[in-house]
Amino acid sequence: MTPDQYVQDKAAASGSSFYYAFLFLPPPRRAAITAFYAFCREVDDVVDEVSDPGVARTKLAWWRKEVAQSFAGQPTHPVMQALMPWAAEFGLEQRQLQAVIEGCEMDLEQTRYLDFPALERYCHLVAGVVGEASARIFGQTQPCTTAYAHTLGLAFQLTNIIRDVGEDAMRGRIYLPISELQRFDVKAHEITSRQYSGRFTALMKFQAERAHGLYEQALALLPAADRRSQKPGLMMASIYRTLLREIERDGFQVLHQRVGLTPLRKFWLAWKVQALGKL
């Protein structure tokens, strides 16, 4: 299997909303973003699929060295072999990939966040920096597009957190800030034991309103000159925001299930942005 086939299979197998946005890119940019996304999946899977934290730390340490030596011209993993030919052309930096690894390392050390600024730091590493790198691959021309990409990445990550509350709790992680759980009088054991209540619904409505506000903020930050090049990000915004609205319509029934959109619906939402420019 070639490195390009490896990353293609990795991206397709994830079933992620990101994959549908990649389909509309020209081949070089599609190859670059697919490889970058596969890298993100590889390091994220270390945390989600390796049950022994010590083994997971060792694997992430290996990835840190692999990224460093890849940028020194010696990639060995198929993901890095697929990504490195595009790194210089699209302005990818080692610090961006190392930041993603750092964010995954946080998952091994920290399962709770005191307040939103603390959570925001984590989101910056695992989503904001990913947005920054992705915007470059998509064809960013304006410096201020970076702020848009970081804000949109934060909105995506908060949507993920809302969707995955129950699933994450089963892994021993609650990303909802402790200060906000206290504000709405929701106990951690109620989440881990999948207890719904009016208090939990109010807490989740608060989280959703914050996410919606960030989507609006991100769209306002995107300069007109880069709107065309950043269509893949806008496709993802359409898919993720539709998912968020589905979760809201379902009454935030996220403790016992993972709400999702069908592949056909994701493709349709992506196509509407591509063809009609409608989110």
Side-chain angles (χ1 to χ4, degrees), residues 168-245:
D168 288 333
M170 293 305 103
R171 291 189 173 118
R173 300 187 204 122
I174 299 177
Y175 291 100
L176 303 174
I178 293 171
S179 63
E180 293 170 11
L181 289 173
Q182 293 172 338
R183 174 179 168 184
F184 289 92
D185 193 27
V186 175
K187 307 295 189 293
H189 73 82
E190 293 176 321
I191 293 175
T192 56
S193 59
R194 299 174 173 174
Q195 295 180 33
Y196 292 100
S197 65
R199 292 171 287 106
F200 175 77
T201 301
L203 169 66
M204 298 311 290
K205 283 181 178 177
F206 176 78
Q207 306 300 321
E209 286 167 7
R210 174 190 280 144
H212 280 303
L214 286 163
Y215 282 112
E216 294 297 331
Q217 185 181 334
L219 295 174
L221 286 168
L222 178 59
D226 268 354
R227 187 174 177 86
R228 188 177 192 83
S229 72
Q230 298 303 312
K231 269 190 176 181
L234 297 176
M235 292 176 193
M236 290 183 277
S238 178
I239 293 169
Y240 265 74
R241 208 164 182 191
T242 299
L243 171 64
L244 180 58
R245 290 178 178 130

Side-chain angles (χ1 to χ4, degrees), residues 158-159 161-166 176 194-212 243-259:
L158 294 184
T159 303
I161 287 170
I162 292 167
R163 178 195 63 193
D164 297 340
V165 167
L176 303 174
R194 299 174 173 174
Q195 295 180 33
Y196 292 100
S197 65
R199 292 171 287 106
F200 175 77
T201 301
L203 169 66
M204 298 311 290
K205 283 181 178 177
F206 176 78
Q207 306 300 321
E209 286 167 7
R210 174 190 280 144
H212 280 303
L243 171 64
L244 180 58
R245 290 178 178 130
E246 284 292 315
I247 292 170
E248 290 175 299
R249 274 193 287 270
D250 200 32
F252 298 99
Q253 298 291 301
V254 291
L255 293 178
H256 69 289
Q257 65 181 353
R258 177 173 173 151
V259 180

